Amino acid sequence: MTDIGGAEDFQILRMKYKEESETVRQIFFKPHNVRVIEPTKPTDRTLFVANIPPWLDANGVKRLFQTNGKIENVYMELKPTVGPPTLPSDKYFPKEKASDPYATGNGYKFAYIVFERASSLRKCLKMDPQLVHIANTKEHRVVTGRLKYIRQYNEQIVDEDVLLNEIKTYMDRFDSEEAQQKEEEEMLGEADDEGWITVTKSSKLKTGQLKKAEENEVRGKKNRKKKKKKTELKNFYAFQMKDEKIKHIQDLRKKFEEDKQKIAKMKADRKFRPF
């Protein structure tokens, strides 16, 4: 579990839901000082915020702190983390409400506010802890209850033209990234000045495909030979049987004559020569 430090490390921001509310809530915040380096959450520009009420979304959190300077990003989390931030879910394929930190009504949350300048973070640390901020105003409404569900229902209605445009944009970006990756892998597959070749996943795949193709080709040739052998019908017709017998008799006579010559030569070489 990520260590968020003790209560004495935090500063307090007081807040009410609306002007008429009697309950004053407390949001805790401090600089995001961790040893793990995360490029999206630089320690010199990131503010860690805790105890965010369930009805307050990322835009509401942004409004509370944007008076200190321009904000680059607000990352919502269900629990503190030092790794890459959780990004908002896709508009057309949203996450389940229980696991989506950007949804409202699913418990208290945490946030990482990334400012554009480090001076804005230092300015946050000088905020008046006695000042009570109002979350729901006429200019910035916090949508809850029936209005919230109406908005969620309306957001489910998809504009086909917008959806097709987003799909086209996504596929164009995907094709471009795939082409660039393929080009980089081909460059790695070429030998360098010392003759070394970098082995990549695609090069292994190509080698395996080539070997498989060669094996299939050899196997195909063998199968074709077997098929040819199977299709050859010997002594199927009567004249084939007659020719085969004649040829066999001729071979036997030829071999008999050769054997007679060998025996005669052996007898001639077996002369008795005492001296």
Side-chain angles (χ1 to χ4, degrees):
M1 183 175 177
T2 306
D3 183 16
I4 61 175
E8 64 276 3
D9 298 330
F10 287 90
Q11 296 194 37
I12 298 174
L13 181 144
R14 299 178 185 276
M15 178 193 65
K16 293 197 299 184
Y17 174 73
K18 58 183 179 179
E19 190 70 39
E20 298 80 14
S21 300
E22 296 181 359
T23 304
V24 178
R25 300 178 182 273
Q26 293 181 345
I27 293 180
F28 306 105
F29 63 93
K30 69 172 185 175
H32 178 56
N33 294 325
V34 292
R35 296 180 181 178
V36 180
I37 298 175
E38 171 55 44
T40 57
K41 296 186 290 189
T43 54
D44 61 331
R45 295 188 290 115
T46 304
L47 188 72
F48 174 65
V49 185
N51 201 40
I52 299 173
W55 43 262
L56 192 63
D57 59 7
N59 291 327
V61 175
K62 184 176 181 179
R63 286 196 299 270
L64 292 175
F65 291 94
Q66 67 183 359
T67 55
N68 300 299
K70 291 185 177 180
I71 294 176
E72 186 178 295
N73 278 309
V74 177
Y75 301 115
M76 303 294 289
E77 299 289 351
L78 295 175
K79 60 181 180 180
T81 175
V82 296
T86 303
L87 300 177
S89 60
D90 187 84
K91 178 182 177 181
Y92 303 105
F93 303 98
K95 299 178 182 177
E96 293 184 4
K97 182 179 178 180
S99 61
D100 187 4
Y102 293 89
T104 56
N106 56 349
Y108 283 79
K109 302 183 186 66
F110 303 87
Y112 294 88
I113 303 174
V114 183
F115 291 94
E116 292 186 359
R117 295 183 180 181
S119 59
S120 301
L121 175 62
R122 294 192 296 269
K123 192 176 178 181
C124 282
L125 304 179
K126 299 178 182 179
M127 295 177 68
D128 184 5
Q130 300 303 322
L131 178 63
V132 178
H133 299 262
I134 308 300
N136 187 18
T137 62
K138 292 182 179 180
E139 295 79 14
H140 305 288
R141 304 288 295 180
V142 175
V143 182
T144 58
R146 180 173 55 87
L147 296 177
K148 171 187 169 182
Y149 295 117
I150 292 173
R151 186 179 68 175
Q152 289 178 349
Y153 175 79
N154 292 333
E155 289 176 352
Q156 293 177 358
I157 302 173
V158 179
D159 188 342
E160 293 185 4
D161 294 335
V162 175
L163 178 59
L164 290 173
N165 188 33
E166 289 195 14
I167 292 173
K168 184 179 183 304
T169 304
Y170 175 83
M171 292 306 301
D172 291 342
R173 184 172 65 252
F174 176 79
D175 293 339
S176 177
E177 291 174 356
E178 286 291 311
Q180 184 179 358
Q181 183 179 358
K182 185 177 180 181
E183 184 178 352
E184 290 176 356
E185 289 181 352
E186 288 178 354
M187 291 177 64
L188 289 174
E190 297 178 359
D192 57 12
D193 298 336
E194 298 180 357
W196 293 96
I197 297 176
T198 304
V199 179
T200 60
K201 183 179 179 180
S202 61
S203 63
K204 288 183 179 180
L205 185 62
K206 288 180 181 178
T207 304
Q209 289 175 347
L210 289 173
K211 287 184 178 180
K212 190 174 181 180
E214 291 176 358
E215 291 175 358
N216 291 338
E217 187 177 354
V218 172
R219 194 181 295 112
K221 288 181 179 179
K222 290 181 179 179
N223 291 337
R224 285 195 294 271
K225 288 181 180 179
K226 288 181 180 179
K227 286 180 181 179
K228 286 183 179 179
K229 288 181 179 179
K230 289 180 180 178
T231 53
E232 288 179 1
L233 300 175
K234 294 183 178 181
N235 302 331
F236 182 75
Y237 297 102
F239 72 90
Q240 288 179 331
M241 297 174 64
K242 183 178 179 181
D243 293 343
E244 183 68 21
K245 288 180 180 179
I246 293 172
K247 183 179 179 183
H248 183 62
I249 292 172
Q250 290 176 348
D251 291 339
L252 289 175
R253 287 177 178 175
K254 183 178 179 181
K255 192 172 185 306
F256 178 72
E257 294 296 330
E258 290 175 354
D259 292 343
K260 281 175 63 177
Q261 292 178 4
K262 286 181 181 179
I263 293 170
K265 185 178 179 182
M266 291 171 65
K267 287 181 178 179
D269 294 338
R270 224 190 309 162
K271 290 180 180 180
F272 180 69
R273 297 175 183 176
F275 300 105

